[in-house]
């Protein structure tokens, strides 16, 4: 673990950001934290700048407009790879991913899988033994489990939790995925990345995590977003069942994302 970077995407997370950054800094002091804000109207970007001014380990990436979680992560990955960070971790700002479990993800990334292969990608998983969720209504748990099972079956994904957003990548693994081939900007992004990771032949392991429902701030999740993600997964599944691999750039209509600025 040479230069770890924890990427925290934010959109209107003013109430959550300072606490989550402080927890990450306390648990893994060697890690740098990159806050990627999409021009949050509530001033989260300005707060991120204040945190960065007070602590040199906190960095910011400001993007002009809300373009979705996937676009924010892709810009952050590009930024991180250019600067030599390794490994690179995804963590939500809303407290759903416990920074206290970060060492468990990082340790797994240093190890090997059951077959003795060095690990490229670690998924913080709710749906393996020891994984848990807190404060989720039954219907939300059911939806998440069903979504993972569907994507797992259709795309032959190797993990129990296909939609989890708590992940740690080796920098080299992100390079092998060829991020320019990932076109999902919205919530299907996590599934899309996992699919590309499997197609790239990465070694992927899951570690159990406890997922805690957000306490403050508003979720950006909606029924429309879930349906869009399901339809996309179905489309990818049909393609892959008919022998086509991951879509090439012209095949998927993800809008070209505006390039970010630091
Ligand atoms: N930069 C950026 N961050 C985003 C965007 N959409 C969501 N986020 C952040 O991504 C993380 C996950 O978003 P949430 O709204 O919590 O979505 P979720 O976790 O899938 O849904 P819940 O389970 O309801 O919390 C949070 O830190 C958000 O602030 C976006 O368009 N741009
Ligand atoms: Mg959340």
């Amino acid at each position: 673990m040479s230069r770890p970077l924890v990427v925290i995407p934010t959109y209107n997370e003013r109430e959550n950001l300072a606490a989550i950054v402080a927890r990450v800094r306390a648990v893994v002091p060697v890690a740098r934290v990159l806050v990627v804000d999409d021009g949050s109207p509530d001033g989260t970007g300005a707060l991120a700048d204040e945190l960065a001014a007070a602590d040199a380990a906190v960095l910011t990436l400001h993007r002009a407009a809300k373009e979705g979680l996937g676009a924010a992560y892709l810009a952050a990955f590009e930024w991180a790879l250019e600067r030599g960070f390794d490994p690179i971790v995804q963590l939500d700002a809303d407290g759903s991913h416990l920074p206290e479990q970060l060492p468990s993800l990082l340790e797994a990334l240093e190890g090997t899988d059951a077959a003795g292969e060095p690990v490229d990608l670690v998924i913080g998983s709710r749906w393996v033994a020891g994984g848990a969720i807190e404060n989720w209504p039954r219907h939300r748990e059911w939806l998440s489990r069903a979504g993972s099972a569907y994507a797992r079956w259709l795309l032959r994904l190797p993990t129990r939790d296909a939609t989890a957003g708590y992940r740690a990548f080796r920098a080299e693994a992100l390079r092998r995925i060829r991020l320019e081939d990932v076109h999902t900007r919205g919530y299907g992004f996590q599934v899309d990345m996992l699919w590309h990771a499997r197609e790239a032949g990465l070694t992927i392991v899951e570690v159990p995590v406890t997922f805690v429902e957000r306490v403050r701030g508003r979720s950006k999740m909606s029924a429309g977003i879930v349906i869009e993600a399901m339809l996309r997964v179905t489309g990818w599944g049909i393609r892959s069942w008919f022998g086509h691999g991951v879509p090439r750039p012209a095949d998927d209509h993800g809008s070209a994302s505006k390039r970010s600025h630091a």
Side-chain angles (χ1 to χ4, degrees):
M1 202 170 70
S2 40
R3 295 187 70 207
L5 181 73
V6 177
V7 180
I8 306 181
T10 56
Y11 193 75
N12 288 346
E13 299 287 1
R14 211 185 149 78
E15 297 162 278
N16 292 314
L17 185 63
I20 202 78
V21 168
R23 283 166 66 191
V24 173
R25 295 284 296 121
V27 176
V28 189
V30 67
R32 299 285 182 270
V33 176
L34 177 69
V35 179
V36 189
D37 186 67
D38 280 9
S40 296
D42 76 346
T44 303
L47 173 60
D49 286 336
E50 283 170 33
L51 298 174
D55 179 353
V58 179
L59 308 159
T60 57
L61 182 60
H62 295 284
R63 295 160 50 76
K66 179 162 165 46
E67 288 188 81
L69 186 62
Y73 267 128
L74 289 168
F77 293 159
E78 195 180 313
W79 185 99
L81 292 175
E82 277 168 9
R83 287 161 182 78
F85 287 102
D86 184 18
I88 297 160
V89 177
Q90 303 180 185
L91 184 110
D92 283 358
D94 60 4
S96 290
H97 303 153
L98 304 180
E100 293 70 24
Q101 297 185 323
L102 199 44
S104 139
L105 272 77
L106 294 174
E107 268 163 39
L109 197 60
E110 301 272 295
T112 55
D113 72 351
E117 291 293 323
V119 174
D120 297 310
L121 164 59
V122 177
I123 311 277
S125 178
R126 294 160 288 193
W127 313 131
V128 293
I133 42 166
E134 275 179 19
N135 300 334
W136 253 14
R138 269 259 166 259
H139 75 272
R140 191 69 204 270
E141 174 176 349
W142 183 88
L143 194 64
S144 179
R145 279 182 183 274
S148 274
Y150 183 62
R152 179 184 150 85
W153 168 72
L154 203 59
L155 300 174
R156 304 179 186 93
L157 297 176
T159 60
R160 310 285 327 169
D161 195 335
T163 59
Y166 200 2
R167 299 178 173 186
F169 294 86
R170 287 197 175 283
E172 190 47 36
L174 282 177
R175 289 202 180 90
R176 276 171 61 196
I177 286 177
R178 292 210 311 251
L179 298 173
E180 62 275 19
D181 289 348
V182 177
H183 301 286
T184 310
R185 298 292 177 256
Y187 274 71
F189 173 75
Q190 308 294 5
V191 177
D192 200 356
M193 279 293 284
L194 189 57
W195 185 33
H196 278 78
R198 198 219 55 193
E199 293 274 309
L202 300 188
T203 302
I204 306 165
V205 299
E206 288 178 282
V207 298
V209 295
T210 299
F211 180 98
V212 183
E213 174 63 338
R214 69 158 71 238
V215 178
R216 280 184 288 276
R218 278 186 51 200
S219 168
K220 282 104 214 163
M221 186 73 102
S222 70
I225 281 167
V226 174
I227 290 165
E228 187 218 350
M230 284 292 194
L231 289 176
R232 274 188 177 249
V233 167
T234 305
W236 299 334
I238 290 167
R239 289 181 58 91
S240 82
W241 280 56
F242 285 95
H244 301 280
V246 293
R248 301 265 75 85
D251 297 334
D252 210 349
H253 60 78
S255 60
S257 73
K258 275 182 237 108
R259 279 303 144 208
S260 49
H261 55 278

